[in-house]
Amino acid sequence: MKLQIRWMSALMLVIVLLAGCGAQDQGADQNGMDMGDESLVPIKVEIRLNPESFAAQEKAVIEAKVTQGGDPVDDAREVLFEIWRDDQEQHEKIEGKHTKDGVYQIEKQFAEPGQYHVIAHVTARDMHSMPQKNFEVK
């Protein structure tokens, strides 16, 4: 009798496991996520300099173009530009302002020539992206 109960229990366990594995939604990927949900499409951030090349003491515009699925993101919760020169440990952080069509920007004048780095910290639609761009100030 004990042997029959063990076999029945093992058989029920196998049936339950197989039923759980086969109950996957057809519109879902292997992780059970609905791939039609746009909220799962990652945001993309492109850093742009205007002008592309500039000298010390000239004003430059640094932009972050934020898109999701090719569409502009105009409702980013935070866009923060982190800027520093190669030989500096101190990083300056400036909040970007939304202009239009998913573009957030700052104006900056660089006092000294050199190699600089900028990271655009973007938080939008429950996602975070932080691309980096290197550039030279002449």
Side-chain angles (χ1 to χ4, degrees):
M1 183 74 171
K2 286 184 179 182
L3 186 59
Q4 275 185 323
I5 293 175
R6 285 186 183 174
W7 274 104
M8 291 296 282
S9 297
L11 182 60
M12 291 296 286
L13 180 62
V14 168
I15 290 172
V16 169
L17 288 174
L18 288 175
C21 292
Q24 195 171 47
D25 183 16
Q26 288 182 344
D29 72 355
Q30 291 182 356
N31 296 319
M33 294 181 175
D34 184 4
M35 296 311 288
D37 187 358
E38 187 170 302
S39 68
L40 299 176
V41 175
I43 60 170
K44 291 186 181 179
V45 180
E46 175 191 1
I47 298 173
R48 304 186 296 203
L49 300 172
N50 187 13
E52 276 292 319
S53 177
F54 53 93
Q57 304 303 325
E58 289 181 356
K59 280 189 180 177
V61 175
I62 302 174
E63 298 178 333
K65 171 78 173 168
V66 185
T67 58
Q68 183 181 37
D71 297 325
V73 173
D74 294 328
D75 59 352
R77 189 172 46 183
E78 179 183 57
V79 177
L80 192 66
F81 293 92
E82 179 179 359
I83 303 169
W84 72 98
R85 199 174 70 206
D86 250 353
D87 57 352
Q88 292 178 323
E89 287 187 31
Q90 188 92 2
H91 296 195
E92 181 179 12
K93 294 181 181 174
I94 306 168
E95 186 174 342
K97 302 293 181 206
H98 181 255
T99 58
K100 63 178 180 168
D101 298 329
V103 175
Y104 299 79
Q105 70 179 23
I106 61 168
E107 273 192 23
K108 173 98 173 111
Q109 189 171 353
F110 295 86
E112 300 177 29
Q115 286 292 325
Y116 285 82
H117 310 275
V118 60
I119 296 176
H121 297 271
V122 178
T123 304
R125 302 181 180 174
D126 295 328
M127 295 179 216
H128 188 76
S129 180
M130 42 190 283
Q132 179 175 334
K133 183 173 184 114
N134 305 321
F135 60 96
E136 180 180 6
V137 175
K138 297 177 184 186

